[in-house]
Amino acid sequence: MTTKAREIMTAERTCANETDTVQSAASTMQRLGVGALPICGQDNKLKGMITDRDIVIKVVADGKDSSSVTVGELQQPEAVTIGADDDADEILATMREHKVRRLPVIDGNELVGVIALADVAKALDNPTTGQLVDVLSTSG
């Protein structure tokens, strides 16, 4: 039987709103002990992800004020997602193709969780080193 995203995802669905400040999103990440949050719009639709790396590279390193930059200013042009019933191979392929280590998991149009590369690695019976290194070497 193939492992599905819904079986290995983290079911936490806390979003950063696109109008939140980056400082607020970072505080939420700290409180939850996570390195990324889905970004949701005023319409409650998924807009993308914000990561701790985004904050460091696009805000801190550029000398911007995290209390004045909004999460929406950092979001990608398109939200990359994975379906709740997609299998581990599809998850890895999507991560590799889009150069990401975390994906929001959707069921229909609803955000149901987030899956990280580490979740996939732990769930696979015998992930090949090549599969994991390939995703790691192409993701940001």
Side-chain angles (χ1 to χ4, degrees), residues 55-108:
I55 294 169
V56 170
I57 301 298
K58 298 175 182 176
V59 179
V60 176
D62 281 347
K64 296 178 182 173
D65 179 6
S66 65
S67 64
S68 63
V69 176
T70 65
V71 169
E73 293 176 60
L74 303 184
Q75 72 191 30
Q76 308 86 357
E78 179 184 335
V80 177
T81 63
I82 197 76
D85 291 318
D86 288 343
D87 65 23
D89 288 335
E90 181 64 24
I91 295 165
L92 289 173
T94 301
M95 288 177 168
R96 182 175 37 257
E97 178 184 344
H98 295 280
K99 301 178 181 175
V100 296
R101 295 181 189 188
R102 301 171 187 99
L103 290 167
V105 181
I106 57 168
D107 191 358

